[in-house]
Amino acid sequence: MVFSGPEPTDSFPPATQTISQLEWLSQLARPLDRAAALVIDGIVLSALLGLTTSRAQYGVELSRLLNDLTQLKFEIWVLVIVGVLTMFLYQLTQWSLFGRTIGQRVVGVEVVNVFTGQSPGLIESATRSLFWWLDLMFLLPNLGIFRDPLRRPFHDRVSNTIVISRRRFGPRPHRRERRASELVTATIISTLTWVSLAILSPENRWIMSTVGARGADLDCQSVEEVKDSLPEDQDMSELELALVLYTAGKVDLKCVDQASRKAAREMPKDPLVRFARSLSNSSEAELSNEYLDKVCEFGAQSEVCQLSKAYDEISQGRSESAIKRLRSFSSRAPTYVLLLASKQLERLGQFEDVHRLLNAVVPFPEIEDYLGQLGVSALWGLERDSEARVLFQASLPRFSSRENRVRFASWMCRMEMDRACAGTQQLPCQRFHREILGDSTLLSDEGIGLTHLVHERCSHQAPDRLGRLARFSGSVNLMDFTEALADRDPISRREKLLDLISDSKVSAAVRSEVFQILLAEDASSSIEEKVDLFWSVAQLSDWYWRSAGLSVARAIARQKDFGKLASFVGQWKDRGGLPSSLRTLDSQPNVRLPASRGSRK
Amino acid sequence: MIFPILDGLLSAARAPITWILFLLNLGVHVIVWPQVQINREGLREIYNSDSFLTATGERYAEFIRKHPEIYSDRFVRRLGHQADSGDREIHLKLGEIALRDYYFANANAKSRNSASDGDPILSLFHGEREKSIREIQTLEPSRWLGVSHDQSSLERLMTFQFIHGGFSHLFGNMVLLLLLGSFLESRIGSASLGLSYLWGGFLGGATYIGFSPITNLPLIGASAGVSCLMGLSVALAWTSGIRVFYLWLPVQRYVGFTQLPSWVLFLYWFIPDLSGVLKTVSELGGVAHWAHVGGVLGGLLLGVWFRFALAAGAASDASRGPGSEGSELSAA
């Protein structure tokens, strides 16, 4: 092992002469040599990268600490660009100036032009470097090193280069030229380092303003904004408001923590402050209990004290005592007490009290949706369905985000379905489907879920309702599906379902549902029929196919017929796409999978 | 991977000071380690508390606001401004930084207020924790042997070189100390090696104090001394190269020993430290890169001086006649 490369032996054949590819065969670099060169270059590059990207790494760390996402994105881009440039320039300069990188120099291989035997030029080196990285990314083209007779992977073929073990042809650069090349390399690398150090530093305001960087968005700002927008007769402290908004799911617990820490400096003995501190420190039980114990220190009869005691009782499982305490609040209690108490009472199933307390709350826009949701839940719990529906319709538009609207409507729809199956009311998901979702893709997905739900819950008692649900959803697939499900005649029903499953126009989701239903319902069919059914749906997408196949495998396994199971898995293995969970069957003592085709003798 | 082997390990008879330095480091580590473990457990319990960190961060933000002269150009000032919004996450980050801040820790120790003024419950709760931290710190060996910005006496600049933060810290330093020490002791003599180690540590410690931002964490470890020995070896073996073990691939032909030019080893050691200095956010860094840089450069300087001295010695020996050992610096 020598560090400096081998001296040129002679200049045969002349540099201008085109070399036959066969002449290279005796001098090809060993693949292991090339791999070792890669490892050494990795070491060199990691040191170089550490240096050139050091400032960008500093910037990434700094902007992460300052939570400045815009700057963080910028720094990551700088890091990537400087990193890629360093790697690219390293190879470019090394190959174009010396014909070998440091790693190649150490192991004694070099890159030459396959036709002339000269060191690659600038263009060839750049092409080789570019495709070298692409090859590395996709890995596969590198396998060309074993398949190509001249061990030229894709990047070598594109750039007309070859890697040989010794330099045999062409003169080595003159000493003065070598010195000049070294100087150029050193200049490029040091310039790059200093550019990244000086210009791209995070303190450089010019760069930051050019890319439009701005300060990070801060959380919990909304509490102050809401406070400013409250009507004058609803005066609430920031802490009270934070508690209300937290209860309504509008802000995170950290906003309560933030507001309570601020309030604790001014009114450390205030019961509400201590209650909020207890709530916000719930991850530290000891400290949280310390606060909760002291809430009643200066006012045992205050609402906050009663609320904290109720919380304590709930955590200890004394629900009845807690309910009694929570019921004691009158309409004069502050909003946060009423809301927190309502939330707890709803969880404990005390809908009458929830309804009463909610009536006492003076609403403001940010919590109206929450009040509506809680109100509908209470009315529904009290079986005042028509009032619940009216309140539902009135509350729905108050949800600002579509996601929450869908969630609330979906919840309502399920509640309605429970009633529908009980036979007391008609299915009222029309509004849910037509007016709320209003999105054909969501319609179809939700529709399948709901259809399945009705099918599961209501069995065959509500075929009309299923049909109506499908019509509401507007999905042709779903209409056929529900029509088949609603068919009371088992033979025609099975035929319709089989038609659906074999129709490639029907969506994969519906076909998968049909498959699962057929598999579950048709208990009398033999294993062979189930397997045939499975192969008939094998054109479904991978995911559904696997899920369907696993159901079949489970059905066979339940019958403890391991011979059939092994044959089924073997067939699947041969066709490809066998899930890994089934591959382990091979290791079980009573199951032997057929040997794969490659290993059969 | 490359790893310097130099002359390999020499026996205690041939490299006594190297082994004495090794045993001193090992002995100190064995003696202080049980106490370090106990302290670490105690501190971990406190530092895991979010409420403690946020309260400390809140107080730190106020401290930053009151002392713009200290934090004029540091990023913590920006973080302190962001804390005005009361964001819990920022207070948490500030809390972590505050625990390393020298000025804040000093002001805290002098002040009777606890981390949470105004809130008696938190005050009581965290007052106990702060007391525990102070008690632990008085028992912490790194606090009475390590170098910090207010404890940088000459004896501390010597003692910090013999205490380590953990087994991996000790192991890494000791392997290099034994190899570099063996190599150098046979060339420059035992006394010179001992003095070089101490000189490197002294210089590393001084560089750390001079260039590193002021932190509350003491500097410990033999790294600075070992870095000095690295620099010294590089300078002394500049013409002959350094013997290294290499492993490119786990295949016979690609594993072995070779002679590498010294400057390659110098870059191999120096570049990571230089990058470390440039990329580390100084308020949060755990490795004293500046001490390494100081040690390596100190070693290089010393090496140049030794080369001249040894060359002069060789010249005078040569003038006296054949048979003198002279400045044979090449690695065996």
Side-chain angles (χ1 to χ4, degrees), chain A residues 30 32-33 39-40 43 47 50 54 57 61-62 64-66 257-258 261 265 268 281 284 287 291, chain B residues 1 49-51 58 75 78-79 82 85-86 88 91 93 118-119 125 248-249 253-254 275 279 281 284:
Chain A
R30 295 169 11 138
L32 276 178
D33 275 351
V39 173
I40 300 163
I43 295 171
S54 57
Q57 287 184 55
E61 182 63 13
L62 204 62
R64 197 184 59 77
L65 283 166
L66 290 168
D257 178 70
Q258 183 177 311
R261 276 189 290 133
R265 282 199 291 268
N281 282 300
E284 287 178 59
L287 183 61
Y291 275 117
Chain B
M1 177 195 102
S49 156
D50 276 6
S51 69
E58 208 171 346
F75 90 96
R78 281 167 70 189
L79 209 56
Q82 284 188 13
S85 64
R88 180 188 166 87
H91 282 149
K93 280 179 200 165
D119 183 344
F125 204 70
W248 309 137
L249 295 173
R253 189 169 162 244
Y254 304 97
S275 319
K279 79 178 176 197
V281 176
L284 293 174

Side-chain angles (χ1 to χ4, degrees), chain B residues 105-139:
Chain B
N106 260 12
N108 230 7
K110 284 173 195 162
S111 153
R112 287 188 176 182
N113 298 330
S114 77
S116 30
D117 298 332
D119 183 344
I121 295 173
L122 205 60
S123 209
L124 195 71
F125 204 70
H126 288 164
E128 289 297 317
R129 289 176 167 180
E130 284 182 349
K131 208 172 141 193
S132 306
I133 291 179
R134 278 197 286 271
E135 279 170 11
I136 289 172
Q137 283 180 347
T138 52
L139 295 172

Side-chain angles (χ1 to χ4, degrees), chain B residues 144-149 151-162 197-210 219-222 224-225 291:
Chain B
W144 37 271
L145 288 178
V147 172
S148 56
H149 287 85
Q151 299 283 354
S152 54
S153 57
L154 192 62
E155 61 269 22
R156 272 177 183 262
L157 279 167
M158 296 296 128
T159 53
F160 91 93
Q161 304 180 44
F162 296 95
Y197 175 84
L198 294 177
W199 154 255
F202 171 81
L203 207 66
T207 318
Y208 172 80
I209 290 166
L219 170 69
I220 52 168

Side-chain angles (χ1 to χ4, degrees), chain A residues 421 449-460 466 485 513 517:
Chain A
C421 292
L450 290 175
T451 310
H452 199 63
L453 193 82
V454 172
H455 181 71
E456 267 182 359
R457 289 193 186 181
C458 308
S459 186
H460 305 304
L466 279 174
L485 279 180
E513 280 295 332
I517 288 168

